[in-house]
Amino acid sequence: MRNGRFITFEGGEGAGKSTQIRRLATRLRTHAREVVATREPGGTPLAERLRSIILAGGARDFGDFGEALLFSAARIDHIDRIIRPALARGAFVLCDRFADSTRAYQGARGGAEENMLAILEAVTLGGVRPDLTFILDLAPEIGLERARARRGQGGADRFEGEDLAFHALLRDKFLGIARAEPERCRVVDAAKPEDEVAEAIWSACLEQWPLLATEGRQWA
Ligand code: TYD
């Protein structure tokens, strides 16, 4: 039985996903019985361990498809332990990155064939698909600069360290996903001020679930 709502946030580096997830979670909590905010790769102890290995570059030599397999293994654990049970309880689940990140990041260079990634995605998700996906769109030059400022002295992780051409390809990939699935995806201009981005996201949620507009109503 699945009656919750699943919202994912996607985009390149430094697009402000985590800030926007925090803001939407706070707002939704006044309307919904339960809101679960989580992230990928991660969300469970096993998936967080895989996250450390992948982001430290420990799986780079596997190539794009090998990395996609590891992200997918982490995703299966996350879906089984966190996402599917939360949706079954009727929660709103907000996830920082999900399967579109594998399509975009591991698919950007064409090293992993698109149809293989699609098969892997179908097997991994087992029917758990987002109801709504926000693609926070930003020029990679700005996003990478924001990410650099955020991490201060620390070194770039596995994907931040890729060149600008890779990040430009990524942006195209995400926009391509949005064009291919307009029912599910909303592209949000992440260069706008934080408040405006939050309003655009909230409006899209209200459009998708008009019942949310009823002040004080507890989402069933
Ligand atoms: P994170 O620090 O969460 O980055 P961000 O703040 O930009 O979301 O690190 C996640 C990194 O892993 C990010 O560079 C995107 C990458 N990634 C993939 O390449 N494939 C995937 O399937 C997922 C979920 C993430």
Side-chain angles (χ1 to χ4, degrees), residues 51-71:
R51 176 190 176 90
S52 314
I53 295 169
I54 304 167
L55 295 192
R60 184 198 303 260
D61 289 350
F62 284 150
D64 287 331
F65 194 70
E67 284 187 317
L69 285 174
L70 289 183
F71 279 115

Side-chain angles (χ1 to χ4, degrees), residues 117-141:
L117 288 175
I119 293 167
L120 178 62
E121 179 181 301
V123 173
T124 301
L125 302 197
V128 176
R129 292 187 179 278
D131 297 294
L132 194 57
T133 294
F134 291 106
I135 293 180
L136 271 55
D137 179 54
L138 188 63
E141 294 85 346

